[in-house]
Amino acid sequence: MVKAYTQEYIYKHPWERVTSASYRKFTDHENRHILTHILEVDTLSCKVDPISKKLYTARAVTVHFPGPWFIRKIVGQDVCHCIETTIVDAKTRSMQLTSRNVSLQKFIEVEEKIQYEPHPDNPKIWTTCRQETNIHIKPLPALASIAEKAEQRYAEKVVKYSATGREVMERICIYLEAESAQIGL
């Protein structure tokens, strides 16, 4: 059974600032103590399509496996490797991130999609963030009865980490706002 969880958030910052903050979220050193579940982030590719002018980025993200302790015990590891792909279309002012785990797929599949777009009511200064997370824990025969509870616990962790990520994004947006004010943008 696949569980889908959707969250929506409004950043009271322009789209350009929010998308810049998204790229910096994992790389700013001061965020390491907040995003403790992120162990490592490496950029695999970054290119601009010459025809569409869209920016395509792929990053490898290693995270502390946020699943319930008993699932970590069964799978025998507490880290998970993920691939995050990003498409930025500056012309339409749209940014979509998709993250999927590439390890532990025998036990769990997680896909997270985040879409950033200008807010329809205030497009110049607000940005809408829609996040959808799909979780599918593949139960072992002995665990079939608790797979749903495990998915729920995993979802609770996702919600917690999402809130922490938004907090970091807000802080970076404020920093970027102050930085642009200093140089007169």
Side-chain angles (χ1 to χ4, degrees):
M1 180 175 194
V2 176
K3 294 281 189 177
Y5 302 90
T6 304
Q7 300 179 66
E8 192 165 309
Y9 184 76
I10 297 171
Y11 289 97
K12 296 193 176 172
H13 300 279
W15 178 84
E16 293 80 4
R17 186 177 302 143
V18 172
T19 55
S20 294
S22 177
Y23 271 104
R24 294 174 66 161
K25 178 170 61 174
F26 298 140
T27 59
D28 281 359
H29 278 287
E30 62 191 54
N31 297 330
R32 287 288 202 195
H33 71 282
I34 298 169
L35 300 172
T36 56
H37 64 291
I38 304 295
L39 303 175
E40 192 170 336
V41 178
D42 295 301
T43 300
L44 303 174
S45 67
C46 186
K47 67 179 182 169
V48 175
D49 181 275
I51 297 169
S52 69
K53 306 294 185 207
K54 293 179 182 176
L55 173 65
Y56 293 87
T57 307
R59 300 196 285 190
V61 182
T62 303
V63 298
H64 182 268
F65 179 59
W69 67 269
F70 58 89
I71 299 292
R72 289 195 309 264
K73 191 79 167 163
I74 291 167
V75 300
Q77 64 186 88
D78 61 355
V79 297
C80 184
H81 302 286
C82 306
I83 297 293
E84 175 193 83
T85 57
T86 305
I87 303 170
V88 179
D89 186 343
K91 192 180 341 179
T92 63
R93 298 176 77 208
S94 169
M95 178 179 188
Q96 181 166 332
L97 288 86
T98 303
S99 300
R100 290 182 180 93
N101 63 304
V102 292
S103 65
L104 305 177
Q105 287 184 343
K106 190 164 107 177
F107 302 101
I108 185 169
E109 290 178 353
V110 178
E111 178 185 66
E112 177 182 54
K113 291 183 178 183
I114 302 174
Q115 180 78 32
Y116 297 105
E117 295 176 325
H119 190 280
D121 297 335
N122 205 346
K124 292 189 179 195
I125 58 174
W126 290 357
T127 303
T128 300
C129 170
R130 286 183 194 88
Q131 177 179 2
E132 181 181 309
T133 306
N134 294 301
I135 303 166
H136 179 216
I137 293 182
K138 299 175 182 179
L140 301 171
L143 297 177
S145 65
I146 60 171
E148 191 167 332
K149 289 179 185 176
E151 286 173 347
Q152 181 61 38
R153 285 193 180 159
Y154 189 88
E156 290 167 3
K157 294 272 189 174
V158 167
V159 169
K160 176 186 169 206
Y161 291 149
S162 295
T164 303
R166 285 192 302 273
E167 176 187 320
V168 167
M169 292 272 295
E170 284 286 355
R171 192 172 59 250
I172 294 170
C173 285
I174 291 167
Y175 169 79
L176 291 171
E177 181 179 30
E179 187 178 75
S180 66
Q182 286 179 345
I183 58 174
L185 290 178

